[in-house]
Amino acid sequence: QVQVVESGGGSVQAGGSLRLSCATSAYTYGRYCVGWFRQAPGKEREGVAVIAKDGTSNVADSVKGRFTISRDNAKNTLHLLMNSLKPEDSAMYYCAQAKSEFYTCWGPGGHNPNAYVDWGQGTQVTVSS
């Protein structure tokens, strides 16, 4: 059973910053795409940023220029630095790993949540105006 734990969420004012972290016990972590996703109440889960094993990232247009994803394969950890936060960024944030080692997350459709597994419990981000 893979254990995934997200942390770092909180409440901030618009324009503020947060750094999310994700730790996983998956021994395959270093070979797979991993990413951050979010889900706001009443909305579908959406991809925020994903990163391939070589560090190539694919960031959603809605957060491009504000969010940076990074990974440490030696420590099985994933991070999301979020700057210039907006109220519309408020959501539960989750990390997950691609189902397939050969998934091309750096290409179009790389944020598709249906292509990912091993979801954690999430960490809440609330941005007030």
Side-chain angles (χ1 to χ4, degrees):
Q1 182 79 19
V2 173
Q3 292 186 330
V4 179
V5 180
E6 300 97 338
S7 62
S11 297
V12 297
Q13 290 191 327
S17 299
L18 285 172
R19 184 174 185 258
L20 306 184
S21 295
C22 171
T24 174
S25 65
Y27 72 94
T28 58
Y29 174 83
R31 306 202 309 265
Y32 285 63
C33 287
V34 288
W36 287 97
F37 303 80
R38 66 187 182 187
Q39 188 167 19
K43 295 188 176 182
E44 292 187 352
R45 189 169 296 186
E46 63 175 357
V48 176
V50 297
I51 186 167
K53 61 183 180 181
D54 66 353
T56 302
S57 63
N58 185 351
V59 182
D61 289 341
S62 60
V63 303
K64 196 165 292 183
R66 301 188 296 121
F67 290 13
T68 303
I69 188 171
S70 62
R71 66 189 295 170
D72 185 335
N73 291 340
K75 297 181 178 180
N76 275 23
T77 55
L78 179 68
H79 302 284
L80 184 68
L81 177 60
M82 306 185 295
N83 294 322
S84 303
L85 282 161
K86 303 176 180 180
E88 51 264 41
D89 294 319
S90 297
M92 187 71 79
Y93 283 70
Y94 302 88
C95 65
Q97 178 175 298
K99 292 178 182 178
S100 169
E101 182 178 358
F102 306 104
Y103 183 58
T104 53
C105 61
W106 54 89
H111 304 132
N112 184 359
N114 294 325
Y116 292 79
V117 292
D118 295 334
W119 300 90
Q121 294 299 308
T123 185
Q124 179 68 41
V125 172
T126 304
V127 185
S128 58
S129 57

